[in-house]
């Protein structure tokens, strides 16, 4: 597979390491050749690096098997997940899920990612999650959805820009790809 085909969430092998694509951007500078700017994470160490690759550069994609699971809780060092079919529990060190941890709410359904050898290498989050506003500025009277927005801290510590009419305690739908506000939970579930 060529680097230009890599998308977020894909895992490839390079120099004996498993590398996950966190972000991939096709970039054409004013002068010179097109490049791929990517944020990559070493699956085993959790280290994140920004790397530039040629679009034609070859990479070996790794087969990943998915298993449905539910996030249960975290201890001080790990996130604990449970296979929803077998009730088997899996631990993932917190440093391996730094990009995902602000979206992990108890009982959220995720997909555990395993290599062909059966090694647990991470999770796939759902596209959206339901979160409660823990802290934000007071509601602004007469505010509309077209306003500039204000920061709101969710119950996990994630900070999201929300419309000015959102109040503390409201349940919101948040996109997990960019951490963006999608709407009020009650208005979307109707």
């Amino acid at each position: 597979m060529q680097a230009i085909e890599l998308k977020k969430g894909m895992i490839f092998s390079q120099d004996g390491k498993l590398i996950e694509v966190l972000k991939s951007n096709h970039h054409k500078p004013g002068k010179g050749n097109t490049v791929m700017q990517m944020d990559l994470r070493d699956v085993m160490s959790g280290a994140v690096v920004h790397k530039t690759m040629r679009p034609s550069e070859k990479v070996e994609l790794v087969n990943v098997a998915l298993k449905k699971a539910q996030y249960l809780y975290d201890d001080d060092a790990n996130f604990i997940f449970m296979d929803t079919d077998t009730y088997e529990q899996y631990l993932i060190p917190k440093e391996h899920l730094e990009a995902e941890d602000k979206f992990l709410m108890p009982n959220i359904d995720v997909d555990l990612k395993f290599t062909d050898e059966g090694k647990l290498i991470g999770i796939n989050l759902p596209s959206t999650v339901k979160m409660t506003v823990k802290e934000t500025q007071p509601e602004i009277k007469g505010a509309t959805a077209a306003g500039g927005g204000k920061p709101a801290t969710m119950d996990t510590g994630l900070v999201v820009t929300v419309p000015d009419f959102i109040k503390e305690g409201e349940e919101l739908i948040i996109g997990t790809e960019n951490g963006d506000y999608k709407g009020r939970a009650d208005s979307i579930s109707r």
Side-chain angles (χ1 to χ4, degrees):
M1 171 179 269
Q2 293 184 332
I4 195 164
E5 299 172 77
L6 290 173
K7 307 246 182 295
K8 179 182 175 174
M10 289 182 164
I11 297 175
F12 62 94
S13 176
Q14 188 175 56
D15 302 326
K17 296 180 178 179
L18 294 177
I19 309 294
E20 181 178 11
V21 178
L22 299 178
K23 196 184 288 184
S24 178
N25 181 26
H26 189 255
H27 179 68
K28 174 90 170 110
K31 292 183 179 180
N33 295 327
T34 301
V35 294
M36 297 300 297
Q37 293 181 336
M38 295 191 227
D39 288 340
L40 305 172
R41 174 175 45 198
D42 182 322
V43 170
M44 295 305 135
S45 72
V48 176
V49 343
H50 183 77
K51 184 174 182 180
T52 302
M53 299 172 80
R54 293 184 319 280
S56 60
E57 193 171 328
K58 299 270 187 202
V59 296
E60 184 182 336
L61 210 57
V62 173
N63 288 329
V64 175
L66 301 177
K67 185 182 282 194
K68 295 280 181 208
Q70 189 176 66
Y71 170 61
L72 297 177
Y73 62 94
D74 70 280
D75 58 21
D76 289 333
N78 302 292
F79 292 110
I80 291 86
F81 298 88
M82 179 183 66
D83 182 318
T84 53
D85 293 327
T86 65
Y87 304 109
E88 185 176 352
Q89 292 188 6
Y90 297 92
L91 282 75
I92 301 178
K94 282 188 169 187
E95 62 268 12
H96 290 201
L97 296 180
E98 287 180 0
E100 295 91 348
D101 72 346
K102 297 286 190 204
F103 299 103
L104 288 175
M105 305 284 297
N107 304 320
I108 187 175
D109 291 325
V110 299
D111 290 320
L112 297 176
K113 297 190 286 192
F114 292 87
T115 63
D116 287 340
E117 296 82 37
K119 184 164 183 64
L120 176 59
I121 56 173
I123 65 169
N124 282 343
L125 291 166
S127 59
T128 61
V129 292
K130 190 186 295 187
M131 301 179 122
T132 303
V133 177
K134 182 178 178 183
E135 185 180 316
T136 190
Q137 299 166 356
E139 178 182 14
I140 299 170
K141 294 290 182 204
T144 65
K150 62 183 180 180
T153 304
M154 301 292 114
D155 39 11
T156 62
L158 177 71
V159 177
V160 178
T161 300
V162 298
D164 291 327
F165 57 82
I166 297 295
K167 300 180 280 227
E168 288 180 10
E170 284 194 72
E171 279 197 331
L172 307 179
I173 301 296
I174 306 297
T176 57
E177 187 166 339
N178 301 315
D180 55 338
Y181 167 81
K182 298 291 186 190
R184 288 176 164 159
D186 59 350
S187 66
I188 291 180
S189 62
R190 283 185 202 162

